[in-house]
Amino acid sequence: MKQNRFLKHFILIRLLAALLGFIPMVMIFPLILAVAQGESVMVRGFVFPMVIVAFAALASFYSLHKKKLNLNARDGFLLVFATWVLASFIGAIPYYFWGLSFTDSLFESACAFATTGATVISNIEALPSSLLLWRSLTHWVGGIGIVLISVALLPVLAVGGFQLIKAEEPGPEKDKITPKVAVTAKLLLLAYGTLTLILSILYLAGGMSLFESLCHSLTTMASGGVSVKNGGIASYNSAFICVVTTVFMMLAGANFNLYYRLLQGKIGEIKNNTEIRVYLIIFLAASAVISISLVPVYSSVSDAVRYASTQTASILSTTGLGIADYEQWPGIARMVLFGLMFVGGCSGSTAGGIKVIRHVVLWKQMSGEMRRMIHPYGVFSVQLNKRVGRKDVVYGVAGFFFLYLAVIAVVTIITAASGIDLFSSFSAAISITGNIGAGFGAAGYSSDYSGFADHIKWLYSFVMIAGRLEMWTVFILFTPIYWKK
């Protein structure tokens, strides 16, 4: 029995190495740029991890080639978490070669793969071009999911891929849009890549350089929100870029399965989708309230609407970019933005946060309980997309809410104990847990995380990964029942 368990773990380690083989493939692009720009330090920073990881991945790939590997849920949780952790460590190496401490390098890498958009780098424009590209690419890879990409590109391993996607994909319900998981992954990757390309072209048309348009499109579609400019997209002072960014942040925060339904011509399914309707209603309502509050601040109604809608989309989709110093806005605007940090985007999107669908489920459950108080013998069910939802989804959502808020509470306490004021600690905890990046106070618009203690950065790195993987995937690994037979 112990020998079988050892063999199983050995297979999982080899499979993990094969999955990480995607990282050297991505590193090729910043390496080429580093060579072209004569950035010798960054050439070493990319070649070193590429050689080691590529060798391990190729050896593992060929040892597993054409072997039938059936993964169960336990294997999927462990494999996905290990993939994200090791990817973050590998991704930190180029930052370390550039000159950041190892703690800061890991934090920056974890931020990218978790698409949080936070940073410890005060002067972004001082980064080498190749490192800026690597930073953007890792956000993009983190957005679509390392595991989902691997399932799309490595189907020859015959992995039970749905267990991986189930453990990685954000949202309370994971559905295959096609019978074959590899086909599903490829379709989602195609939609993701197509939207990124369209956005890049629009940014070019708006006046960005080719490099800037590429980097910004990669991070915007990933709901990461980092920029190659210290001032972010506000540096361009362009209404066109602002509007385009707003639209694509909202698209990134929507369920990508709906794009497949759109291509199929199933408009009715999109119209009946409860989550997307609530998602849009929240955006429009929040934008309207903030716009009204900003009219006295800006010179025109159009400017107020533009700034309000962009910042609303940024927080709601957990992209976290700043179009203006929102901490100087009226109290009602700041209150709405702070409230949106508890919402998040749609399930099956690149966005983080609690997710709109979970709020919908709990709202409907609350309404049903209130009706039951009036009609104690009535039968009331939670309906989603005009269909009766499963009761276990309600239980799962309630459990997730408790875990999510418990993590925020613990992170807030630990952060405050390090010397950060309570409100900044609370704001940072929400931002990090929800993979938002933007916050208030010490984690606000004009600040970064460089002033936080090293042990807090390690904690945040773990929490960002946990938030990106929907909490359960990570915290279940720390329960005794997981390790029992």
Side-chain angles (χ1 to χ4, degrees), residues 110-139:
C111 283
F113 281 113
T115 69
T116 303
T119 186
V120 294
I121 304 172
S122 301
N123 186 8
I124 298 298
E125 295 177 25
L127 290 176
S129 298
S130 58
L131 194 55
L132 286 172
L133 180 59
W134 172 241
R135 187 169 179 248
S136 300
L137 282 169
T138 46
H139 271 85

Side-chain angles (χ1 to χ4, degrees), residues 17-31:
L19 290 174
L20 291 172
F22 185 80
I23 295 179
M25 296 168 60
V26 176
M27 277 188 173
I28 290 174
F29 301 103
L31 174 61

Side-chain angles (χ1 to χ4, degrees), residues 297-422:
V297 177
Y298 294 100
S299 58
S300 67
V301 174
S302 61
D303 285 342
V305 171
R306 174 161 58 90
Y307 284 115
S309 58
T310 301
Q311 200 61 59
T312 297
S314 174
I315 301 297
L316 181 60
S317 67
T318 70
T319 307
L321 61 80
I323 188 64
D325 190 354
Y326 51 85
E327 292 191 274
Q328 304 303 317
W329 285 358
I332 183 65
R334 285 180 279 128
M335 185 185 72
V336 172
L337 290 176
F338 187 75
L340 290 175
M341 294 175 70
F342 288 93
V343 180
C346 297
S347 60
S349 70
T350 62
I354 294 175
K355 301 294 188 303
V356 171
I357 191 62
R358 291 193 174 98
H359 288 278
V360 172
V361 168
L362 287 189
W363 177 269
K364 287 180 175 287
Q365 180 66 17
M366 179 197 69
S367 300
E369 293 300 323
M370 294 177 71
R371 292 198 300 271
R372 189 173 287 109
M373 292 178 69
I374 305 298
H375 305 285
Y377 299 105
V379 178
F380 305 100
S381 58
V382 173
Q383 290 194 356
L384 299 172
N385 307 333
K386 296 189 175 181
R387 296 194 300 268
V388 177
R390 303 195 317 269
K391 199 68 176 178
D392 63 309
V393 172
V394 178
Y395 299 147
V397 168
F400 178 88
F401 255 87
F402 181 81
L403 176 60
Y404 193 90
L405 296 179
V407 170
I408 289 176
V410 171
V411 173
T412 299
I413 293 170
I414 296 175
T415 304
S418 71
I420 305 295
D421 68 273
L422 185 59

Side-chain angles (χ1 to χ4, degrees), residues 188-269:
L188 295 177
L189 184 57
L190 177 63
Y192 188 58
T194 301
L195 287 172
T196 304
L197 178 61
I198 294 172
L199 178 56
S200 182
I201 293 171
L202 290 173
Y203 277 150
L204 270 174
M208 288 188 184
S209 67
L210 179 62
F211 179 75
E212 291 169 351
S213 66
L214 175 60
C215 290
H216 283 103
S217 61
L218 290 171
T219 58
T220 299
M221 281 309 303
S223 298
V226 297
S227 174
V228 297
K229 299 284 189 180
N230 290 332
I233 64 166
S235 303
Y236 298 96
N237 195 26
S238 167
F240 175 81
I241 288 177
C242 191
V243 171
V244 167
T245 303
T246 302
V247 171
F248 277 83
M249 284 191 295
M250 291 299 293
L251 290 174
N255 192 322
F256 272 69
N257 290 347
L258 295 180
Y259 299 133
Y260 178 71
R261 305 301 181 199
L262 181 63
L263 292 175
Q264 289 181 310
K266 296 181 179 180
I267 306 299
E269 288 193 21

